[in-house]
Amino acid sequence: MTTPATTPAPVAATVTVSTGPLSPAEVVSVARHGARVELSDASLAAMAESRAVIEALVTDDKPHYGVSTGFGALATRQIPLEQRTQLQRSLIRSHAASSGAEVDREVVRGLMLNRLATMATGRTGVRPAVAQAYAGILNAGITPVIGEYGSLGCSGDLAPLAHCALALMGEGQVRTHDGGLAPAADALAAAGLEPVELREKEGLALINGTDGMLGMLLMAADDLHRLLKTADLAAAMSIEGLLGTDDVLAEDLHALRPHPGQISAASNMRRILAGSDLVAGQKEAGGNAHRFTRVQDAYSLRCAPQVHGAARSTLAHAESVAGYELASAIDNPVVTVDGRVESNGNFHGAPVGYVLDFLAIAVADLASMSERRTDRFLDAARSHGLNAFLAGDPGVDSGHMIAQYTQAGIVSELKRLANPASADSIPSSAMQEDHVSMGWAAGLKLRRAMDGLTRVLAVELLTSARALDMRDGGVDTCSSSPAIAAARRQIRKVVEGPGPDRYLAPEIEAVRVLVAGGTLLEAVEQELDSPLS
């Protein structure tokens, strides 16, 4: 599976997991950047207290789900005391049934951290030693190997979480801190860690949660904040390169439709275009003559703040859902604050699955608009004086013709990925689990969509930089705004200016790296002397 855009790694920190919620930044820091974790004294005390509740039920003649019964459709069977350790071990082994391409390391680490955070609330009934062992695996950089298929997003991300619990038991395959493949028992021993023998309810507590889909949501949101600002930059560069107008970005016009995201996008684009000689020259030429030949720009230019703003609003909603999920203690059954052990349906992934799908729709639309702006540069009938396909010698050279094909292929794929996984459901466990969320699948396809958006924006930025060089002779004599000039200089550090056709794939990849790593955006914000919103 392709890893999506990632931000530069900060200095590794330590994240304290306590009874309260982690922040999105803390999850990203551990999952993506390798920050260490530690458990607070409060969390250890809370786990010990709830474990005492479970221990009191062990010899009870009354059946208690997950403590003395089977699971799912087999919950009607009372399990003898002497078989309950085997029950937990069998649960994990049988549920570690994933298949397919290996899931990215950061997804697995996010999954494990979110499960650890739920354990730390004291609502699952696991022993503190189980949570401490999970923390030890994370800190050792050990990553259980998980296939992409196996979670239906209900009763938790079952198979993915079971693979993590299997590693805790010293079974299955893992990646070591340096990426090597090893048996879990060997990796634990090399890290000075002991396998854990699970007791009553503990196996169940390790696999009931929306932890994987939540981690994917948090990392996608982290990436999308950067990509939205990069999309504003790309749109502004295209307006400048296509000799458009910034009049439609006026603050008072956007105040007439005061969606916060739209206002932010328009403000960003105004700031990026401020001081552009190319935009100013269009207004001044012939007494605003451009207004008579082109009364208004195409939608892909004129409506960029509206579309980028709608994506921001969708992200804001998704982050509000993520906030509630981070504050949740999801397990079944759960140990309540007053000491009851109650079955529930909080593991259902619908809230997270929906917003993962919403974001995939927004991502597809952002990319679709970017591709349309790129295409305008390549059509001599619409590019206002540029060579066909931005070719050095049209006919001999093809310029960026096929770069747009690449964009179009990605955008078409993103439209397919925008079809909601959460609208699907398939029954399982002998109809006990007769409605599922498919939230894990929604998370995986969003990750692919985020990678696609990164590539589409890279092609637009590469194309607009080439077009601007053809307008004004290059960065040494550029007529761009200071912010866009900074972006052009950054691109020219990794890609040569216009000329005869060259091997194009490495140039697209070089700009993709600038976008994914945030380097291009940082150069622009440094020129502006403050971050974009």
Side-chain angles (χ1 to χ4, degrees):
M1 176 176 178
T2 303
T3 303
T6 55
T7 52
V11 175
T14 298
V15 170
T16 299
V17 182
S18 192
T19 54
L22 294 169
S23 71
E26 287 174 324
V27 175
V28 171
S29 182
V30 173
R32 181 166 277 175
H33 305 308
R36 294 180 60 80
V37 296
E38 63 180 15
L39 290 159
S40 71
D41 291 342
S43 69
L44 295 171
M47 286 185 280
E49 184 178 348
S50 66
R51 183 62 197 175
V53 174
I54 298 299
E55 297 285 358
L57 300 176
V58 168
T59 57
D60 193 349
D61 292 336
K62 181 181 177 182
H64 297 280
Y65 179 67
V67 177
S68 56
T69 72
F71 309 108
L74 302 176
T76 55
R77 180 180 173 185
Q78 180 87 341
I79 307 299
L81 183 64
E82 65 274 11
Q83 290 186 298
R84 290 180 191 169
T85 299
Q86 180 186 339
L87 171 71
Q88 302 301 316
R89 186 165 55 244
S90 295
L91 173 72
I92 299 305
R93 287 173 174 168
S94 65
H95 283 53
S98 72
S99 185
E102 189 175 332
V103 174
D104 292 331
R105 180 177 188 268
E106 64 179 34
V107 174
V108 181
R109 286 181 62 81
L111 171 83
M112 293 184 70
L113 177 65
N114 286 329
R115 184 78 322 224
L116 177 61
T118 286
M119 286 187 248
T121 64
R123 305 277 64 81
T124 71
V126 302
R127 289 168 292 150
V130 175
Q132 289 169 321
Y134 249 52
I137 290 173
L138 282 166
N139 289 339
I142 296 171
T143 306
V145 173
I146 301 172
E148 63 181 331
Y149 301 112
S151 174
L152 301 181
C154 199
S155 289
D157 287 321
L158 287 175
L161 282 163
H163 280 274
C164 298
L166 193 70
L168 184 78
M169 292 162 47
E171 300 181 21
Q173 294 288 303
V174 299
R175 295 282 178 185
T176 57
H177 67 91
D178 59 359
L181 188 65
D186 293 349
L188 291 179
L193 301 173
E194 294 285 339
V196 173
E197 183 175 79
L198 300 175
R199 298 181 185 171
E200 291 86 358
K201 192 188 176 299
E202 290 180 336
L204 193 60
L206 292 177
I207 63 173
N208 265 297
T210 58
D211 309 291
M213 63 184 90
L214 174 59
M216 287 188 278
L217 174 58
L218 293 168
M219 284 181 280
D222 185 57
D223 290 334
L224 195 50
H225 277 289
R226 182 184 62 262
L227 291 178
L228 280 164
K229 292 188 283 188
T230 305
D232 294 341
L233 169 63
M237 286 181 69
S238 290
I239 287 174
E240 188 180 64
L242 289 164
L243 304 181
T245 176
D246 64 351
D247 290 351
V248 294
L249 304 175
E251 186 174 4
D252 59 346
L253 292 178
H254 291 277
L256 298 174
R257 195 188 193 195
H259 289 281
Q262 176 180 327
I263 288 172
S264 292
S267 173
N268 285 346
M269 292 173 66
R270 281 196 308 274
R271 292 179 62 199
I272 292 167
L273 284 165
S276 169
D277 290 341
L278 284 166
V279 171
Q282 283 297 296
K283 293 180 180 181
E284 295 164 2
N288 292 333
H290 76 293
R291 295 176 184 270
F292 296 99
T293 57
R294 182 156 40 111
V295 176
Q296 52 190 10
D297 291 322
Y299 284 9
S300 59
L301 303 174
R302 184 170 18 130
C303 300
Q306 286 78 6
V307 172
H308 297 185
R312 280 176 165 84
S313 296
T314 304
L315 176 57
H317 171 60
E319 289 184 310
S320 73
V321 171
Y324 291 124
E325 203 71 4
L326 283 167
S328 302
I330 295 175
D331 193 13
N332 182 50
V334 68
V335 181
T336 65
V337 176
D338 61 1
R340 301 182 341 268
V341 179
E342 298 284 358
S343 290
N344 65 90
N346 284 342
F347 48 67
H348 198 288
V352 182
Y354 287 174
V355 295
L356 287 164
D357 281 333
F358 296 165
L359 288 179
I361 293 169
V363 163
D365 206 32
L366 287 166
S368 178
M369 181 172 257
S370 172
E371 182 273 331
R372 288 293 80 205
R373 291 191 295 262
T374 301
D375 186 65
R376 298 188 76 81
F377 279 116
L378 306 182
D379 184 351
R382 294 180 292 149
S383 67
H384 309 290
L386 294 169
N387 288 1
F389 302 105
L390 303 185
D393 184 359
V396 175
D397 296 323
S398 296
H400 278 206
M401 179 192 293
I402 308 304
Q404 184 269 331
Y405 285 32
T406 298
Q407 267 193 322
I410 296 170
V411 169
S412 185
E413 170 76 0
L414 295 185
K415 291 173 183 176
R416 293 189 290 273
L417 292 170
N419 287 315
S422 57
D424 186 28
S425 178
I426 191 165
S428 57
S429 193
M431 294 299 289
Q432 177 75 2
E433 298 166 8
D434 57 355
H435 184 277
V436 297
S437 77
M438 304 306 294
W440 172 266
L444 290 179
K445 74 182 181 66
L446 177 59
R447 287 176 66 77
R448 184 169 177 82
M450 295 291 293
D451 178 72
L453 174 60
T454 304
R455 296 174 189 278
V456 167
L457 291 174
V459 172
E460 181 185 1
L461 290 158
L462 179 66
T463 301
S464 58
R466 183 179 179 92
L468 285 163
D469 280 4
M470 296 176 82
R471 291 253 187 240
D472 60 20
V475 292
D476 293 333
T477 57
C478 77
S479 304
S480 289
S481 70
I484 292 177
R488 291 172 64 182
R489 287 193 297 272
Q490 197 69 43
I491 291 170
R492 287 293 160 254
K493 288 180 181 179
V494 297
V495 176
E496 293 180 20
D501 281 354
R502 301 184 296 264
Y503 181 21
L504 195 52
E507 298 190 356
I508 295 172
E509 175 61 14
V511 180
R512 185 204 67 82
V513 170
L514 292 181
V515 172
T519 308
L520 190 63
L521 188 61
E522 287 171 10
V524 170
E525 291 182 328
Q526 190 171 34
E527 180 63 40
L528 293 171
D529 206 28
S530 64
L532 295 169
S533 58

